CSV table of all heavy atoms in Angstrom, one decimal:
chain,number,residue,atom,x,y,z
A,1395,SER,N,-4.6,-35.3,43.0
A,1395,SER,CA,-4.4,-34.1,42.1
A,1395,SER,C,-5.9,-33.3,42.1
A,1395,SER,O,-6.8,-34.0,41.9
A,1395,SER,CB,-4.0,-34.5,40.7
A,1395,SER,OG,-2.8,-35.2,40.8
A,1396,THR,N,-5.8,-32.0,42.2
A,1396,THR,CA,-7.1,-31.3,42.3
A,1396,THR,C,-7.0,-30.0,41.5
A,1396,THR,O,-5.9,-29.5,41.2
A,1396,THR,CB,-7.3,-30.9,43.8
A,1396,THR,OG1,-6.3,-30.1,44.3
A,1396,THR,CG2,-7.5,-32.2,44.7
A,1397,GLY,N,-8.2,-29.4,41.2
A,1397,GLY,CA,-8.4,-28.2,40.6
A,1397,GLY,C,-8.9,-27.1,41.6
A,1397,GLY,O,-8.3,-26.7,42.5
A,1398,PHE,N,-10.3,-26.8,41.3
A,1398,PHE,CA,-10.9,-25.8,42.1
A,1398,PHE,C,-10.9,-26.1,43.6
A,1398,PHE,O,-11.2,-27.2,44.1
A,1398,PHE,CB,-12.4,-25.7,41.6
A,1398,PHE,CG,-13.2,-24.7,42.5
A,1398,PHE,CD1,-13.0,-23.4,42.4
A,1398,PHE,CD2,-14.0,-25.2,43.5
A,1398,PHE,CE1,-13.8,-22.5,43.1
A,1398,PHE,CE2,-14.8,-24.4,44.3
A,1398,PHE,CZ,-14.6,-23.0,44.1
A,1399,SER,N,-10.6,-25.1,44.4
A,1399,SER,CA,-10.7,-25.0,45.8
A,1399,SER,C,-10.8,-23.6,46.3
A,1399,SER,O,-9.9,-22.8,46.0
A,1399,SER,CB,-9.4,-25.7,46.4
A,1399,SER,OG,-9.5,-25.7,47.9
A,1400,CYS,N,-11.9,-23.2,46.8
A,1400,CYS,CA,-12.1,-21.8,47.2
A,1400,CYS,C,-11.3,-21.5,48.5
A,1400,CYS,O,-11.7,-21.8,49.6
A,1400,CYS,CB,-13.6,-21.5,47.4
A,1400,CYS,SG,-13.9,-19.8,47.6
A,1401,ARG,N,-10.1,-20.9,48.2
A,1401,ARG,CA,-9.2,-20.7,49.3
A,1401,ARG,C,-8.2,-19.6,49.1
A,1401,ARG,O,-8.0,-19.3,47.9
A,1401,ARG,CB,-8.4,-22.0,49.7
A,1401,ARG,CG,-7.6,-22.5,48.6
A,1401,ARG,CD,-6.9,-23.8,49.0
A,1401,ARG,NE,-6.1,-24.4,47.9
A,1401,ARG,CZ,-4.9,-24.1,47.4
A,1401,ARG,NH1,-4.3,-23.0,48.0
A,1401,ARG,NH2,-4.3,-24.8,46.6
A,1402,ASP,N,-7.6,-19.2,50.1
A,1402,ASP,CA,-6.4,-18.2,49.9
A,1402,ASP,C,-5.2,-19.0,49.4
A,1402,ASP,O,-5.1,-20.3,49.5
A,1402,ASP,CB,-6.0,-17.6,51.3
A,1402,ASP,CG,-7.0,-16.6,51.7
A,1402,ASP,OD1,-7.7,-16.0,51.0
A,1402,ASP,OD2,-7.1,-16.4,53.0
A,1403,ALA,N,-4.3,-18.3,48.8
A,1403,ALA,CA,-3.1,-18.8,48.3
A,1403,ALA,C,-2.2,-19.3,49.6
A,1403,ALA,O,-2.3,-18.6,50.6
A,1403,ALA,CB,-2.2,-17.9,47.6
A,1404,VAL,N,-1.6,-20.3,49.5
A,1404,VAL,CA,-0.7,-20.8,50.6
A,1404,VAL,C,0.7,-20.0,50.4
A,1404,VAL,O,1.4,-20.2,49.5
A,1404,VAL,CB,-0.4,-22.3,50.4
A,1404,VAL,CG1,0.5,-22.7,51.6
A,1404,VAL,CG2,-1.7,-23.1,50.6
A,1405,ASN,N,0.9,-19.1,51.3
A,1405,ASN,CA,2.0,-18.2,51.2
A,1405,ASN,C,2.3,-17.6,52.6
A,1405,ASN,O,1.6,-16.7,53.0
A,1405,ASN,CB,1.7,-17.1,50.2
A,1405,ASN,CG,2.9,-16.1,50.1
A,1405,ASN,OD1,3.9,-16.3,50.6
A,1405,ASN,ND2,2.7,-15.1,49.2
A,1406,SER,N,3.3,-18.1,53.4
A,1406,SER,CA,3.5,-17.8,54.7
A,1406,SER,C,4.2,-16.4,54.9
A,1406,SER,O,4.2,-15.8,55.9
A,1406,SER,CB,4.4,-18.8,55.4
A,1406,SER,OG,5.6,-18.9,54.8
A,1407,ASP,N,4.8,-15.9,53.8
A,1407,ASP,CA,5.5,-14.6,53.9
A,1407,ASP,C,4.9,-13.5,53.1
A,1407,ASP,O,5.6,-12.5,53.0
A,1407,ASP,CB,7.0,-14.8,53.6
A,1407,ASP,CG,7.2,-15.2,52.2
A,1407,ASP,OD1,6.3,-15.5,51.5
A,1407,ASP,OD2,8.4,-15.2,51.8
A,1408,GLY,N,3.8,-13.6,52.6
A,1408,GLY,CA,3.2,-12.5,51.8
A,1408,GLY,C,1.8,-12.1,52.2
A,1408,GLY,O,1.2,-12.8,53.1
A,1409,PRO,N,1.2,-11.1,51.7
A,1409,PRO,CA,-0.1,-10.8,52.0
A,1409,PRO,C,-1.1,-11.8,51.6
A,1409,PRO,O,-0.9,-12.5,50.6
A,1409,PRO,CB,-0.3,-9.4,51.3
A,1409,PRO,CG,0.6,-9.5,50.1
A,1409,PRO,CD,1.8,-10.3,50.6
A,1410,LYS,N,-2.3,-11.9,52.2
A,1410,LYS,CA,-3.3,-12.9,51.9
A,1410,LYS,C,-3.9,-12.4,50.5
A,1410,LYS,O,-4.0,-11.2,50.2
A,1410,LYS,CB,-4.5,-12.8,52.9
A,1410,LYS,CG,-4.1,-13.6,54.1
A,1410,LYS,CD,-5.3,-13.9,54.8
A,1410,LYS,CE,-5.0,-15.0,55.9
A,1410,LYS,NZ,-6.2,-15.7,56.4
A,1411,SER,N,-4.1,-13.5,49.7
A,1411,SER,CA,-4.7,-13.3,48.3
A,1411,SER,C,-5.3,-14.5,48.0
A,1411,SER,O,-5.0,-15.6,48.5
A,1411,SER,CB,-3.6,-12.8,47.3
A,1411,SER,OG,-2.7,-13.9,47.2
A,1412,TRP,N,-6.3,-14.5,47.1
A,1412,TRP,CA,-7.0,-15.6,46.6
A,1412,TRP,C,-6.0,-16.5,45.7
A,1412,TRP,O,-5.3,-16.0,45.0
A,1412,TRP,CB,-8.2,-15.3,45.7
A,1412,TRP,CG,-9.4,-14.8,46.4
A,1412,TRP,CD1,-9.9,-13.5,46.5
A,1412,TRP,CD2,-10.2,-15.5,47.3
A,1412,TRP,NE1,-10.9,-13.4,47.3
A,1412,TRP,CE2,-11.2,-14.7,47.8
A,1412,TRP,CE3,-10.3,-16.9,47.7
A,1412,TRP,CZ2,-12.2,-15.1,48.6
A,1412,TRP,CZ3,-11.3,-17.3,48.6
A,1412,TRP,CH2,-12.2,-16.4,49.0
A,1413,SER,N,-6.1,-17.8,45.9
A,1413,SER,CA,-5.3,-18.7,45.1
A,1413,SER,C,-6.0,-18.7,43.8
A,1413,SER,O,-7.2,-18.5,43.6
A,1413,SER,CB,-5.5,-20.1,45.8
A,1413,SER,OG,-5.0,-21.1,44.9
A,1414,GLN,N,-5.2,-19.1,42.8
A,1414,GLN,CA,-5.8,-19.3,41.4
A,1414,GLN,C,-6.8,-20.6,41.4
A,1414,GLN,O,-7.6,-20.6,40.6
A,1414,GLN,CB,-4.6,-19.5,40.4
A,1414,GLN,CG,-3.9,-18.2,40.0
A,1414,GLN,CD,-4.9,-17.2,39.5
A,1414,GLN,OE1,-5.4,-17.4,38.4
A,1414,GLN,NE2,-5.0,-16.1,40.1
A,1415,HIS,N,-6.6,-21.4,42.5
A,1415,HIS,CA,-7.5,-22.5,42.6
A,1415,HIS,C,-8.9,-21.9,42.9
A,1415,HIS,O,-10.0,-22.5,42.5
A,1415,HIS,CB,-7.1,-23.4,43.7
A,1415,HIS,CG,-5.9,-24.3,43.4
A,1415,HIS,ND1,-5.9,-25.3,42.6
A,1415,HIS,CD2,-4.5,-24.0,43.7
A,1415,HIS,CE1,-4.7,-25.8,42.5
A,1415,HIS,NE2,-3.8,-25.0,43.1
A,1416,ALA,N,-9.1,-20.8,43.6
A,1416,ALA,CA,-10.3,-20.2,43.9
A,1416,ALA,C,-11.1,-19.8,42.7
A,1416,ALA,O,-12.3,-19.7,42.8
A,1416,ALA,CB,-10.2,-19.1,44.9
A,1417,TYR,N,-10.4,-19.5,41.6
A,1417,TYR,CA,-10.9,-19.1,40.4
A,1417,TYR,C,-11.1,-20.2,39.4
A,1417,TYR,O,-11.6,-20.1,38.3
A,1417,TYR,CB,-10.1,-18.0,39.7
A,1417,TYR,CG,-9.9,-16.8,40.6
A,1417,TYR,CD1,-8.7,-16.5,41.2
A,1417,TYR,CD2,-10.9,-15.8,40.8
A,1417,TYR,CE1,-8.5,-15.5,42.0
A,1417,TYR,CE2,-10.8,-14.7,41.5
A,1417,TYR,CZ,-9.6,-14.5,42.1
A,1417,TYR,OH,-9.4,-13.3,42.9
A,1418,GLY,N,-10.8,-21.4,39.8
A,1418,GLY,CA,-10.8,-22.6,39.0
A,1418,GLY,C,-9.8,-22.5,37.8
A,1418,GLY,O,-10.0,-23.2,36.7
A,1419,LYS,N,-8.8,-21.9,38.0
A,1419,LYS,CA,-7.8,-21.6,37.0
A,1419,LYS,C,-6.4,-22.2,37.4
A,1419,LYS,O,-5.4,-21.7,36.9
A,1419,LYS,CB,-7.6,-20.2,36.6
A,1419,LYS,CG,-8.9,-19.6,36.0
A,1419,LYS,CD,-8.8,-18.2,35.6
A,1419,LYS,CE,-10.1,-17.7,34.9
A,1419,LYS,NZ,-9.9,-16.3,34.4
A,1420,ALA,N,-6.4,-23.2,38.2
A,1420,ALA,CA,-5.2,-23.9,38.7
A,1420,ALA,C,-5.5,-25.4,38.9
A,1420,ALA,O,-6.6,-25.7,39.3
A,1420,ALA,CB,-4.5,-23.2,39.9
A,1421,ILE,N,-4.4,-26.2,38.7
A,1421,ILE,CA,-4.4,-27.6,39.0
A,1421,ILE,C,-3.1,-28.0,39.7
A,1421,ILE,O,-2.1,-27.6,39.2
A,1421,ILE,CB,-4.7,-28.4,37.7
A,1421,ILE,CG1,-6.0,-28.1,37.1
A,1421,ILE,CG2,-4.6,-29.9,38.0
A,1421,ILE,CD1,-6.3,-28.8,35.7
A,1422,ASP,N,-3.2,-28.8,40.7
A,1422,ASP,CA,-2.0,-29.4,41.3
A,1422,ASP,C,-2.0,-30.8,41.0
A,1422,ASP,O,-3.1,-31.6,41.1
A,1422,ASP,CB,-2.1,-29.3,42.9
A,1422,ASP,CG,-2.0,-27.8,43.4
A,1422,ASP,OD1,-1.5,-27.0,42.7
A,1422,ASP,OD2,-2.4,-27.6,44.5
A,1423,ILE,N,-0.8,-31.3,40.6
A,1423,ILE,CA,-0.7,-32.7,40.1
A,1423,ILE,C,0.4,-33.4,41.0
A,1423,ILE,O,1.4,-32.9,41.2
A,1423,ILE,CB,-0.2,-32.7,38.6
A,1423,ILE,CG1,-1.1,-31.9,37.7
A,1423,ILE,CG2,0.0,-34.2,38.1
A,1423,ILE,CD1,-2.5,-32.6,37.4
A,1424,ASN,N,0.0,-34.6,41.4
A,1424,ASN,CA,0.8,-35.5,42.3
A,1424,ASN,C,1.6,-34.6,43.3
A,1424,ASN,O,2.8,-34.5,43.3
A,1424,ASN,CB,1.9,-36.2,41.4
A,1424,ASN,CG,1.3,-37.1,40.4
A,1424,ASN,OD1,0.2,-37.6,40.5
A,1424,ASN,ND2,2.0,-37.4,39.3
A,1425,PRO,N,0.8,-34.2,44.3
A,1425,PRO,CA,1.4,-33.3,45.4
A,1425,PRO,C,2.6,-33.9,46.2
A,1425,PRO,O,3.5,-33.3,46.6
A,1425,PRO,CB,0.3,-32.9,46.2
A,1425,PRO,CG,-0.8,-33.8,45.9
A,1425,PRO,CD,-0.6,-34.3,44.6
A,1426,ILE,N,2.6,-35.2,46.4
A,1426,ILE,CA,3.7,-35.9,47.1
A,1426,ILE,C,4.9,-35.9,46.2
A,1426,ILE,O,6.0,-35.5,46.7
A,1426,ILE,CB,3.3,-37.2,47.5
A,1426,ILE,CG1,2.3,-37.2,48.7
A,1426,ILE,CG2,4.6,-38.1,48.1
A,1426,ILE,CD1,1.7,-38.5,49.1
A,1427,GLU,N,4.9,-36.3,45.0
A,1427,GLU,CA,6.0,-36.3,44.1
A,1427,GLU,C,6.5,-34.9,43.7
A,1427,GLU,O,7.6,-34.7,43.3
A,1427,GLU,CB,5.7,-37.1,42.8
A,1427,GLU,CG,5.6,-38.5,43.1
A,1427,GLU,CD,4.2,-38.9,43.6
A,1427,GLU,OE1,3.2,-38.1,43.7
A,1427,GLU,OE2,4.0,-40.1,44.0
A,1428,ASN,N,5.6,-33.9,43.9
A,1428,ASN,CA,5.8,-32.5,43.4
A,1428,ASN,C,5.4,-31.6,44.6
A,1428,ASN,O,4.5,-30.8,44.4
A,1428,ASN,CB,5.0,-32.2,42.2
A,1428,ASN,CG,5.5,-33.2,41.1
A,1428,ASN,OD1,6.6,-33.2,40.6
A,1428,ASN,ND2,4.5,-34.0,40.6
């Protein structure tokens, strides 16, 4: 489970944009289960 990561949003069908992780305003929890 992680928070900050300076990266684009993962989005295969939309325009490139910064992920909320790049701003330190997002957290992913248990990525395998979720």
Side-chain angles (χ1 to χ4, degrees):
S1395 299
T1396 62
F1398 173 79
S1399 177
C1400 189
R1401 62 177 175 83
D1402 288 333
V1404 178
N1405 182 2
S1406 65
D1407 64 350
K1410 281 196 167 205
S1411 63
W1412 285 110
S1413 166
Q1414 287 300 296
H1415 291 279
Y1417 300 105
K1419 295 182 175 182
I1421 297 174
D1422 289 343
I1423 304 289
N1424 297 338
I1426 291 174
E1427 292 80 7
N1428 302 298

